[in-house]
Amino acid sequence: MDDTELLAVAIGQARVGLAEGGVPIGAAILIDGEVVAAGRNRRVQLGSAIRHGETDALEVAGRLPASKYRRATMATTLSPCDMCTGAILLYGIPRVVMGENRTFVGGEDLLRARGVEVVNLDSSECYDLLHGFIAEHPEIWNEDIGEE
């Protein structure tokens, strides 16, 4: 599975999240050529403070040995925020593929500084999906990124 195909899984999750009334950000985890988990931002749906796309994908993956995470690629439709960056670093995920960072720039520099390969596919589909949501729901977006 290439990066574009993996990102497509994350985009699918973002679309599910949007249909559920949530923030359209999705993620997927690939290990040894197999998608082991996919998740979406479910803060609105679950009333959660921490269920971003990446953390939801980690939750869906469940308990995995550290050796598996060290062979993983995390795909996310948006540059990972500081919380999700921390989770990526905590589990030693060595590679992140993101859909775009025009909307929001998260902890990319920290990931790179800690040796994580960060690939930006600059997807117009990811940008358009989130940009439209932000235009309609700026208050939910601001809450999601910790702003007023």
Side-chain angles (χ1 to χ4, degrees):
M1 174 171 282
D2 69 19
D3 291 347
T4 302
E5 293 168 325
L6 182 60
L7 182 61
V9 174
I11 291 170
Q13 285 292 303
R15 291 193 180 287
V16 170
L18 180 63
E20 295 172 339
V23 180
I25 299 172
I29 301 171
L30 182 77
I31 300 175
D32 299 333
E34 177 186 350
V35 175
V36 299
R40 59 193 171 277
N41 185 309
R42 296 200 296 163
R43 291 185 72 249
V44 171
Q45 300 92 311
L46 298 176
S48 171
I50 61 168
R51 290 299 273 275
H52 281 186
E54 300 90 335
T55 55
D56 191 53
L58 287 165
E59 181 68 17
V60 170
R63 295 175 59 197
L64 297 175
S67 61
K68 287 199 176 219
Y69 286 116
R70 291 187 186 118
R71 298 191 310 269
T73 295
M74 170 78 76
T76 177
T77 57
L78 183 66
S79 177
C81 73
D82 289 342
M83 175 177 67
C84 296
T85 293
I88 290 164
L89 292 173
L90 176 68
Y91 289 104
I93 296 171
R95 190 165 187 274
V96 173
V97 173
M98 62 183 179
E100 62 102 357
N101 67 354
R102 289 179 273 162
T103 304
F104 175 84
V105 177
E108 299 167 37
D109 289 341
L110 177 58
L111 289 170
R112 287 185 188 100
R114 296 282 295 273
V116 175
E117 178 186 358
V118 178
V119 177
N120 182 0
L121 296 182
D122 195 26
S123 164
S124 294
E125 184 177 6
C126 291
Y127 176 82
D128 292 344
L129 190 60
L130 188 54
H131 188 70
F133 177 84
I134 293 169
E136 287 187 37
H137 306 284
E139 70 289 348
I140 295 175
W141 170 247
N142 286 334
E143 177 190 320
D144 198 66
I145 60 172
E147 294 185 5
E148 291 294 324

